[in-house]
């Protein structure tokens, strides 16, 4: 089976790279922007909330080693799936959550996984993550790529200070990355 793409929006893309990047079968994780109406947006444009883009990661993966179902399962453990207004202290449309599917099989897997998470009772509030057809994906500026490797101390402070690490520990029993 050929390599595939998966695209997830989960708030700040800095915190979405490392957990995927450290899994077997993951070829590349690119931080970027998707879902909006502006070609090649900049970080400043996206943060201005005028482009319709969400911060996201696009993952190139080998489904024989790490299937899409496992990517979706991991995704849920990286976010607050009930927060429709952003993620942790990052607020606004550009920080909202979504699974962008690349084909019908991904759509079905994402929808079933979302329904199962809702039915599990793990969260009392409704699951707010949108499941949307993949749109053009634009890579973020180079300084955003693999931020956890380039600035490990700041990455760790941000993960903890934003509330993400504590939420993940409380709800999933592990640390983010």
């Amino acid at each position: 089976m050929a390599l595939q793409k998966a695209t997830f929006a989960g708030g700040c893309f800095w915190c979405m790279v490392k957990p995927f990047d450290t899994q077997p079968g993951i070829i590349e994780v690119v931080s970027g922007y998707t879902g909006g109406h502006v070609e090649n947006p900049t970080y400043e444009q996206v943060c201005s909330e005028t482009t319709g883009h969400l911060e996201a990661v696009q993952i190139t993966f080998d489904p024989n080693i790490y299937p899409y179902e496992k990517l979706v399962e991991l995704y849920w453990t990286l976010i607050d799936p009930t927060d429709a207004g952003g993620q942790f202290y990052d607020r606004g449309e550009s920080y909202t959550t979504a699974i962008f599917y690349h084909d019908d099989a991904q759509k079905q897997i994402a929808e079933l996984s979302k329904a199962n998470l809702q039915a599990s009772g793990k969260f009392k509030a409704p699951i707010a993550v949108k499941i949307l057809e993949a749109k053009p994906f634009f890579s973020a500026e180079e300084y955003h790529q693999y931020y956890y490797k380039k600035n490990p101390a700041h990455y760790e402070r941000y993960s903890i200070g934003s509330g993400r690490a504590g939420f993940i520990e409380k709800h999933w029993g592990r640390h983010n990355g």
Side-chain angles (χ1 to χ4, degrees):
M1 189 180 288
L3 296 178
Q4 295 182 5
K5 299 258 188 225
T7 306
F8 301 105
C12 177
F13 45 38
W14 289 350
C15 293
M16 297 295 293
V17 175
K18 184 179 180 182
F20 289 112
D21 190 42
T22 57
Q23 302 306 313
I26 304 304
I27 310 305
E28 180 180 44
V29 183
V30 178
S31 295
Y33 318 108
T34 192
H37 58 273
V38 173
E39 291 277 325
N40 296 309
T42 65
Y43 178 69
E44 290 75 20
Q45 287 174 309
V46 172
C47 288
S48 74
E49 302 290 332
T50 60
T51 68
H53 287 91
L54 280 63
E55 285 195 13
V57 291
Q58 188 162 83
I59 302 159
T60 303
F61 67 102
D62 183 337
N64 293 315
I65 298 171
Y66 206 88
Y68 186 73
E69 292 88 346
K70 286 183 70 173
L71 288 171
V72 173
E73 287 173 18
L74 178 57
Y75 169 74
W76 293 123
T77 71
L78 305 177
I79 63 169
D80 175 352
T82 66
D83 189 345
Q87 285 291 287
F88 310 102
Y89 78 46
D90 292 316
R91 311 312 301 159
E93 179 185 24
S94 62
Y95 294 111
T96 58
T97 55
I99 297 172
F100 291 91
Y101 60 87
H102 291 262
D103 58 31
D104 287 338
Q106 286 188 357
K107 180 181 181 183
Q108 290 174 350
I109 290 165
E111 288 176 344
L112 178 60
S113 181
K114 179 179 176 178
N116 288 341
L117 181 59
Q118 186 68 62
S120 75
K122 186 165 191 65
F123 297 97
K124 301 300 177 220
I127 304 302
V129 175
K130 297 181 217 100
I131 298 174
L132 304 168
E133 186 174 4
K135 304 260 184 176
F137 183 88
F138 302 97
S139 294
E141 295 78 358
E142 183 56 37
Y143 69 93
H144 289 300
Q145 304 303 328
Y146 295 95
Y147 192 83
Y148 81 95
K149 290 180 180 179
K150 294 176 181 174
N151 297 289
H154 186 254
Y155 166 81
E156 190 67 23
R157 281 193 309 275
Y158 180 82
S159 178
I160 293 167
S162 69
R164 187 183 294 261
F167 181 91
I168 291 168
E169 181 71 34
K170 177 181 176 186
H171 290 88
W172 302 102
R174 62 172 190 72
H175 183 64
N176 183 22

